[in-house]
Amino acid sequence: MNAPRARIIGTGSYLPEKRMTNDALAKLVDTTSEWISSRTGILERRIAAEGEMTSDLAAHAGQRALEAAGCDPKDLDLIICATSTPDLVFPATAAIVQRKIGAQSTKAPVFDIQAVCTGFVYALSIADQFIRSGMSQKVLVIGAETFTRILDWNDRTTCILFGDGAGAVVLEAVEGGDDRGILSTHMHADGSYVELLHVTGGISQGRPSGFDVKHDALGFVDMHGNEVFKQAVKAMGAVAEEALAANGLTVDDVDWFIPHQANKRILQATAKRVNIPESKVVMTVDHHGNTSAASVPLALDEAVRDGRIRPGHLVLLDAFGGGFTWASALIRW
Ligand code: UT7
């Protein structure tokens, strides 16, 4: 008997209400709206409200995905949340989401995964393995971030890039029939590059002044943007080609390419490297900014809801982030 295949039966997303324009940023740091839009393609990003947590964004996106799938939260047998900005050190944000969406009675396992901007594609790959092995039947996979909480608003090289948001999918195990579903996933990492993109500070570094409870251990995003840019294009290009080769498909077979939304120029350079026309690239970076683990599912949900992605389409998800980590998922919609 063939292994079950994981099919996406619903997508959802959520953006906080507050918008921050480039003009507003130009009042905070030495930059211009023109510099930001021409170097990154970003025009605005969303900022979570005071008290609005990653789990709130994740729960909203998850509920919308469940509604789209026509799935009761009580039918879920696994919840995975990809985030680098969890509500708490522990427990997992996925546990808080389980309660917020009313799925706690399932007693289904929940966990977070942390692969920064690659997080959602890593989580999708893990969920796919759970379904293929027969361990899970209905899985909620979420990418959610409140990345603006870890920005240094005095650092013009990073604070202009990121935004908050969440995206989610519901996966269902299907057996037999056509090839619709996740065809393959590929995951990679190279820990040689930790310093090029990281958050300063951290739990295991401890509190510098012993038990000073007032000390704020939360660090800031620190990035060598130029080097990250080059590595992102190289890695996302390679993992896209790997996905197509593994399935005996070519770039001409791809209907929609959804790369991590870091910078419009990275998306364009990656598409060019892989030889995918820009008309097939889903771009949301202009109105979302870089939302880290939320970026791919946010873009996916937008393209599903506006009717671009239709049944039978070949969709290639591709991401790159701190670690470095990078991954792809090839999906027959
Ligand atoms: O999510 C996954 C990881 N993140 C990424 O993939 C982001 C990757 N990197 C990038 O998107 C780009 O490297 C940035 C948008 C961060 C920077 O763009 P760049 O074209 O690589 O600029 P640069 O770092 O080479 O800097 C060029 C100049 C510098 O000035 P000098 O040294 O030439 O005088 C910077 O100081 O632009 C300056 N600069 C700015 N100027 C105005 C840097 N940030 C700003 C700013 N406003 N916000």
Side-chain angles (χ1 to χ4, degrees):
M1 209 176 76
N2 289 334
R5 189 187 288 281
R7 186 177 292 169
I8 295 177
I9 57 165
T11 67
S13 62
Y14 177 79
L15 290 163
E17 260 174 50
K18 185 179 169 191
R19 296 165 195 265
M20 189 177 219
T21 62
N22 292 346
D23 282 333
L25 274 163
K27 293 193 177 96
L28 293 179
V29 284
D30 181 17
T31 191
T32 61
S33 183
E34 201 283 327
W35 192 96
I36 301 171
S37 57
S38 64
R39 293 292 184 112
T40 70
I42 300 168
L43 304 178
E44 64 172 29
R45 71 287 293 143
R46 301 295 183 100
I47 313 279
E50 210 182 315
E52 196 173 28
M53 311 286 271
T54 294
S55 64
D56 294 315
L57 276 50
H60 285 309
Q63 270 157 342
R64 287 176 184 175
L66 287 162
E67 273 164 32
C71 175
D72 192 308
K74 295 184 179 64
D75 292 336
L76 294 171
D77 52 15
L78 175 64
I79 300 173
I80 310 177
C81 183
T83 187
S84 300
T85 47
D87 288 19
L88 299 167
V89 173
F90 71 80
T93 301
I96 304 168
V97 170
Q98 190 203 49
R99 185 167 68 185
K100 284 187 176 167
I101 64 171
Q104 66 272 40
S105 64
T106 61
K107 308 285 190 286
V110 297
F111 56 87
D112 288 359
I113 88 112
Q114 208 271 55
V116 205
C117 306
T118 317
F120 177 78
V121 184
Y122 260 46
L124 196 66
S125 179
I126 294 164
D128 184 41
Q129 310 310 316
F130 270 74
I131 285 178
R132 280 176 194 269
S133 71
M135 182 100 169
S136 308
Q137 308 297 313
K138 277 219 170 84
V139 185
L140 178 61
V141 181
I142 306 171
E145 303 278 16
T146 47
F147 228 75
T148 63
R149 308 271 205 247
I150 50 170
L151 296 178
D152 175 355
W153 293 99
N154 297 308
D155 176 8
R156 68 176 183 172
T157 69
T158 52
C159 76
I160 53 125
L161 295 171
F162 296 92
D164 301 330
V169 299
V170 178
L171 293 173
E172 183 178 55
V174 288
E175 293 190 40
D178 54 28
D179 72 341
R180 290 179 58 213
I182 298 179
L183 303 181
S184 68
T185 61
H186 290 85
M187 301 160 73
H188 298 285
D190 185 344
S192 322
Y193 297 99
V194 168
E195 287 73 23
L196 291 188
L197 176 52
H198 70 287
V199 171
T200 57
I203 304 305
S204 71
Q205 292 174 24
R207 298 183 172 94
S209 48
F211 291 98
D212 174 6
V213 290
K214 288 199 198 96
H215 176 69
D216 179 2
L218 194 61
F220 297 114
V221 174
D222 185 290
M223 179 169 71
H224 298 251
N226 221 292
E227 191 52 32
V228 175
F229 190 116
K230 287 183 222 148
Q231 296 289 341
V233 173
K234 211 163 93 185
M236 284 205 290
V239 79
E241 282 161 0
E242 183 183 20
L244 292 170
N247 291 279
L249 295 165
T250 74
V251 71
D252 295 334
D253 296 312
V254 175
D255 293 291
W256 295 106
F257 182 44
I258 310 187
H260 167 50
Q261 310 284 315
N263 179 327
K264 189 177 180 185
R265 291 188 297 132
I266 294 182
L267 274 74
Q268 288 169 326
T270 307
K272 194 167 167 211
R273 196 182 176 106
V274 184
N275 216 5
I276 294 183
E278 229 178 284
S279 57
K280 289 185 174 181
V281 182
V282 177
M283 282 204 207
T284 54
V285 67
D286 57 332
H287 51 292
H288 294 165
N290 181 346
T291 56
S292 185
S295 98
V296 169
L298 268 165
L300 176 67
D301 185 49
E302 191 171 298
V304 168
R305 283 176 191 262
D306 68 18
R308 270 178 288 176
I309 296 178
R310 294 193 303 276
H313 278 177
L314 190 68
V315 180
L316 177 55
L317 310 184
D318 196 349
F320 177 88
F324 292 143
T325 52
W326 61 102
S328 68
L330 193 62
I331 303 164
R332 177 72 65 194
W333 204 259

